[in-house]
Structures are given as structure tokens and as C-alpha cells.
Amino acid sequence: MLFGVAMLVTGHNAGATPASQGQVLPISVTVDVDTTVGPQHVVFSGWMQIETGEPRVESGVQVIDLQVTKLHLIGASQIGRLNVALQDALTSRGEVRAQQADAQFPASSFIDLYPQIDAPDSPIGALVFHNDVALHLVPWSGGREASIAAWPPMGAEYRLQLPSPTGDGPSCVPFVQQGGQPYDLGLCVADVRLDIPPALPAFSVGRNGPSRLHPADLLGVDPPSVDDPGQAPFVRLPCASLGLTATGCDDGSDGTQDSIVGLSFGRDMMGQGPPAVRFSVAPGAQGQPGTAIRQQHDCPPSQPGVAPEAESDVFSSVLDGTDELLFDGNGPIGTCPIAFPIGLIEAATARDRVDALEMHDASVVDTNGDGVPDQPAYFTLDAESPSLGALGFSAGDILTTVDGNAPALFASAAQLGLQPGDEIEAFCLQEDGDRTYGARDVIYFALTPRSPSLVAVGAGPGDVLSPGSPPQLVVRGSSLGLAATDALGALSCETALPPAGARGDANCDGVVNEIDAQLVLQYEARLSSGLPCADRADTNGDGLANSIDAMLILQLEVGLIDRLP
């Protein structure tokens, strides 16, 4: 049995010592269970709540006790719908135990889980079953038990550890009916995998998706409260709370709805390290060969490209021409590569698409959890949004709202150097705190394919630009693993991007020197698989990054030339 559970914490920084309070953790669960009629596969989604105790010292190291206080999962199986909650009789507990005396992390950890599973629609009547032996889950990596680096353990994997790992004990954990009697089905859990997503994103979806989600609602994978019985995605900031018009926030039956296509909470580029972005792609994106985008586009493998999935997913890149799958629209279904699911539909003929993305949870702007942002949220609307005409804005303007008020103009298309008819498809924003666009604010953006400025600056809809007259090219889409005709769907910037115009800066550190030349030579010799800023390594514009570019970089550094060709 594979029991993939993902745990995230709203409002807590990874690496911080857990406080003594309840934490709502989104969960995705995949189950392979042994039965007398053969193995079964079930996919669950939902959440659990964990209480974390105050740190205590035991044997010279810090220990934090955990208790799972609520569990809500829903899945579908061959015997019908399955509902999962906690048992009343047995308490689900765990711990985080430091591995050294002077720091909380790295730490060992475990969770002993006692779920109760209800099958109300079984062909043989309502069934209820539970485990008397704990599902003992421990962090897992590389085929062995591992440590965690933070709580919540973002991106980690937990796995079932059976009572006797030597092979002379039980090979699974049985699930029994009330009174401890086994079912004729012989339900037994042989393996459990607990996969933890890397972040809590806020996002919106495009128009007319099969899930029927409103394209101007901001969604999340965690519920607004523990009283919410639903499944991801959850509406965290509804259209109306962003101050949009009644027409734009309607049910779409008359064909008029607002659609948020760019999103930021003003806190982009706060990370450290090399340039890194998170993004989605527009429908039809293929990606370069070998990229995660191409893998998703070509899935299922038996019929590549017949049911492309890429627009429902979120990817990450360090601008080296490659990318990774960060979130998957529908999660562990079929044979496609998977990541933590965000609850979208990826059918063969119709797919939801991620249309706007912010890697911070909505709680950073909705601090009291009432569904209305009490801190500024920034967004753009597509050209068909009725609120643009009602409010007098354009699809090239970045808007802001707070406290449910009507959106105000944060940065106009003209201030960004855009032409009439330009449409912002995605953007990143680091806002300096004064809520007014100025020189200390950092903005990067991508434009829709029909935007006239793309031709003016020699850019494409997959390229990232910065404000200017005209806008400046910052990152080519090829650095993200996009094919030449691909367009970005959404963008969130983890760190600062390389300054515009820094040709030769192959490692994106803001300077052009012998280190860049060395990296280019290593890349040409296939000693490395990519370059952090592959598009900048091609200094002479011949489409290659090779020893000629390395020579030009060295000549520039020692003063033999005063500029690159």
C-alpha cells in the first residue's frame, strides 16, 4: 500500500521550532492495499490538523511532541466512496527529535497514525474499519530512514515502517472492523508513503475549465478552517473580496467573468541563492526536449501529445535551460510523472490551467482568515474581464486592493513602458512597503502573444521582461526550458533575476568574469548539464555557448575589448 500524505503549515516558516498550537496540513493520499480479491489502488485528498507541544529536553536534545487532532480525507475505491477520520479510541501521536544538542534540526521524526475508514456505499452495505497497530511513519530518502531539516518538513517523504523490518514479522498492518474482527476482504496495509509538498501556493485558474472554478477566485491547497469539509483547491480569497465588480464575479452564465492572470502579494524575490522562478505554461506549450514540460506534454507515453497536461501544472527552474515539476494538477493518477496535486482536472479533451501564481499562502495577506485581504494583493486581469471597463483600467495595468475595496492602480502600462494593446500575462513584484509604484519596487513580467511590445523588443510570450522604454529583456523562455513558441501562464520569482543586459553573465551573479568563461567551457565539454543563465552565455549571438563565447568573456575582463559583440 502506498499512503502518500503531504503536510504543510499555514503561517509558519519552515525551519522554525513548532509552537504549541494546531496546524492545518493539506494531505494527498495514494493507497495500494492488499485484499483477498487482489491489490487495490485508491487516491485520497483532504487535510489533517497537528498540535505541536513546546520543546523539551530529553537525553540532552530537544524533543517536540506531536498529536494529530483532526483528519479529513475523501477517496474513491472499487467499493465506493471512502471517508477517513481519526479513531476515538486510539490517539495518533508523533515527535520531532533533534539529532544534536545545540540545534533543533536536523531531526528524526515519526507519526503514529490511527485512522478510521468509512465506506458508506459498499455493495455489501456500510463498512467501517480501522487499525489497532499504528501506521508508524518515518522520514524516508534514498531507500532508508532520513532526517528532516525543518518543521513542517517541506518536500520530505514519510514512509511506513513495519513493526519487524527484518522480515520475520508481519508484512502489512491489518485493518479490522469494530471489535477487532477481520473483514472477509482481508484489508492490509503493506506500505505507506507520505509525500510533503514544497510550499503553499495561492493561484487562480483560467476561464471555462472543467472544474468550473471561478477564474478570479484565489485558490489554495489548504482549507480556510478545520470546519471546511471540502477538498483542494479551496477558495481562499473570492473574487468579490478583491473589490471586483458584481458582473465580473458572477457565475459566468452570461459569458462575462473577470479572470486574474497575474498575481503577487508583493513579496517576490525574498529568497537567497541563484535566480529561481516558479511558473506555469499556457495551453499548447511543449517545452524543450528532456524538460519536465515536455514530459507532461508527451504524457501518456503510449500516445505522446494526445492529452497534454502541462498547463495544469507548476514548474520550477534555476534558469539553466532545465525545469522540474513542482506541483501537478491532478496528482498521482496514471503513468505520467507526478508531484504534489493541487486538485485540478486534467482530462484528455479539457483541462484546468494555472493562470496566476503566488508561492505564498493567502494567509500572508488575509491575516485574520476572513477571506478578505487586510494586506495589499496585486494582480492583473485579462483583456476580456468586464471589471477593466467598469473601473477604467487595461490589461497592461497592475492593480492592487486591500480590505475588499475596489482595485486601485498600482503601476500603469505606461509606467512599465508598455504600448496600448499590451497585456500582462504574469508578473513578479517586490514592493517596498509604501504601496506606491516607485524606483525601489522590482517588477518582472511576461506578455501575451498578441502584445505589440514583444515585436518591438524582439521577445516572445515565454520571455521575462522588466520595465523600461521600451521594456528590457531579462530572461529568455529557453532558460526556463520553454520551446520557442511556448508562452508563460503564470510566474512567481523566488530570488532576484539577473540584471537586464548582462551578456556573458553565465552564472547570473551580476558580473561578467573568468568564472563565467570557465562555466561555458565546462558546459561545452559536457562536464555540466546546463548553465544558470544559458541565454546570456551566448555572447556573440550565434545560438551556441562555446569556447568562442568564453574567449570573448575573458577578453572583456582583461580589457582587450570594451564590449561584447
Side-chain angles (χ1 to χ4, degrees):
M1 170 178 178
L2 293 178
F3 200 130
V5 180
M7 303 164 40
L8 292 175
V9 177
T10 304
H12 292 272
N13 295 324
T17 299
S20 180
Q21 57 186 309
Q23 302 174 332
V24 178
L25 313 175
I27 296 172
S28 173
V29 180
T30 60
V31 177
D32 289 326
V33 57
D34 295 333
T35 73
T36 55
V37 295
Q40 305 294 319
H41 182 83
V42 185
V43 177
F44 294 92
S45 66
W47 50 265
M48 66 181 173
Q49 183 181 44
I50 289 187
E51 303 280 347
T52 52
E54 296 292 343
R56 57 184 173 83
V57 177
E58 184 178 301
S59 301
V61 299
Q62 289 190 38
V63 179
I64 298 170
D65 294 316
L66 310 174
Q67 181 177 342
V68 183
T69 54
K70 291 188 177 182
L71 181 65
H72 174 82
L73 296 171
I74 300 174
S77 72
Q78 294 184 5
I79 60 172
R81 177 169 53 94
L82 301 178
N83 302 318
V84 183
L86 289 178
Q87 296 184 40
D88 293 328
L90 297 172
T91 302
S92 296
R93 300 184 185 276
E95 74 170 23
V96 176
R97 181 178 293 267
Q99 294 179 327
Q100 54 193 34
D102 57 349
Q104 177 62 64
F105 298 100
S108 62
S109 179
F110 73 85
I111 298 172
D112 284 344
L113 199 61
Y114 291 98
Q116 174 177 295
I117 303 175
D118 294 271
D121 307 317
S122 163
I124 58 175
L127 302 176
V128 179
F129 40 95
H130 67 276
N131 55 314
D132 290 328
V133 177
L135 296 174
H136 184 68
L137 310 176
V138 299
W140 200 260
S141 179
R144 65 183 66 183
E145 186 174 353
S147 60
I148 59 174
W151 183 269
M154 315 296 275
E157 172 186 301
Y158 277 58
R159 195 146 192 173
L160 175 67
Q161 188 175 70
L162 292 168
S164 179
T166 60
D168 56 356
S171 59
C172 57
V173 175
F175 273 67
V176 297
Q177 56 186 307
Q178 298 297 328
Q181 296 299 313
Y183 277 108
D184 292 339
L185 290 172
L187 302 175
C188 203
V189 174
D191 191 18
V192 173
R193 198 183 77 192
L194 191 153
D195 295 308
I196 301 170
L200 271 177
F203 59 98
S204 74
V205 297
R207 298 176 180 276
N208 304 317
S211 63
R212 309 298 296 174
L213 295 164
H214 195 289
D217 287 344
L218 298 188
L219 311 171
V221 295
D222 58 326
S225 73
V226 294
D227 296 323
D228 195 322
Q231 294 174 282
F234 299 93
V235 177
R236 298 300 307 274
L237 296 177
C239 174
S241 77
L242 301 175
L244 297 171
T245 66
T247 301
C249 294
D250 67 12
D251 61 8
S253 58
D254 59 358
T256 57
Q257 283 183 319
D258 288 331
S259 180
I260 290 177
V261 294
L263 175 66
S264 177
F265 296 151
R267 308 181 187 203
D268 284 282
M269 297 163 275
M270 296 296 190
Q272 302 295 320
V277 299
R278 318 297 190 227
F279 64 97
S280 70
V281 293
Q286 299 185 39
Q288 296 182 42
T291 62
I293 300 172
R294 177 65 65 89
Q295 287 182 320
Q296 293 299 99
H297 174 272
D298 286 351
C299 210
S302 60
Q303 296 178 296
V306 171
E309 295 192 328
E311 65 263 36
S312 306
D313 306 323
V314 176
F315 304 89
S316 66
S317 177
V318 293
L319 312 186
D320 61 354
T322 67
D323 50 55
E324 296 181 357
L325 184 63
L326 191 66
F327 290 98
D328 189 79
N330 61 356
I333 298 175
T335 58
C336 300
I338 62 170
F340 186 78
I342 54 179
L344 301 183
I345 295 175
E346 301 183 56
T349 58
R351 290 167 294 280
D352 291 319
R353 66 182 190 272
V354 177
D355 216 19
L357 179 67
E358 161 60 70
M359 293 307 295
H360 293 91
D361 178 66
S363 62
V364 305
V365 294
D366 178 19
T367 58
N368 61 5
D370 65 354
V372 179
D374 49 74
Q375 297 295 316
Y378 305 87
F379 59 91
T380 58
L381 297 172
D382 73 3
E384 289 72 42
S385 296
S387 286
L388 287 179
L391 298 169
F393 300 130
S394 78
D397 297 329
I398 297 177
L399 311 179
T400 183
T401 186
V402 67
D403 295 327
N405 296 321
L409 184 65
F410 175 72
S412 69
Q415 286 175 301
L416 300 175
L418 299 178
Q419 301 180 36
D422 283 337
E423 303 170 14
I424 295 177
E425 178 63 36
F427 73 94
C428 302
L429 169 64
Q430 186 183 102
E431 207 276 322
D432 67 1
D434 64 2
R435 304 187 183 184
T436 302
Y437 179 52
R440 293 186 300 175
D441 299 316
V442 182
I443 296 177
Y444 301 111
F445 55 87
L447 300 176
T448 63
R450 59 190 177 189
S451 298
S453 282
L454 291 180
V455 176
V457 301
D463 298 336
V464 180
L465 311 175
S466 64
S469 298
Q472 301 296 302
L473 178 63
V474 178
V475 175
R476 286 285 187 190
S478 58
S479 293
L480 309 180
L482 274 65
T485 58
D486 293 346
L488 282 171
L491 182 67
S492 181
C493 301
E494 183 75 11
T495 57
L497 302 184
R503 260 189 318 139
D505 183 15
N507 64 350
C508 307
D509 66 355
V511 296
V512 179
N513 55 25
E514 75 277 3
I515 296 176
D516 300 298
Q518 182 181 13
L519 289 172
V520 171
L521 291 172
Q522 291 175 345
Y523 174 70
E524 184 183 27
R526 299 186 178 181
L527 297 177
S528 65
S529 59
L531 294 167
C533 280
D535 59 311
R536 301 195 181 284
D538 178 17
T539 61
N540 62 354
D542 65 356
L544 302 172
N546 55 27
S547 58
I548 297 175
D549 301 297
M551 178 186 67
L552 290 169
I553 292 171
L554 291 173
Q555 289 177 345
L556 178 68
E557 185 182 23
V558 300
L560 295 178
I561 57 176
D562 58 4
R563 62 183 177 86
L564 293 169

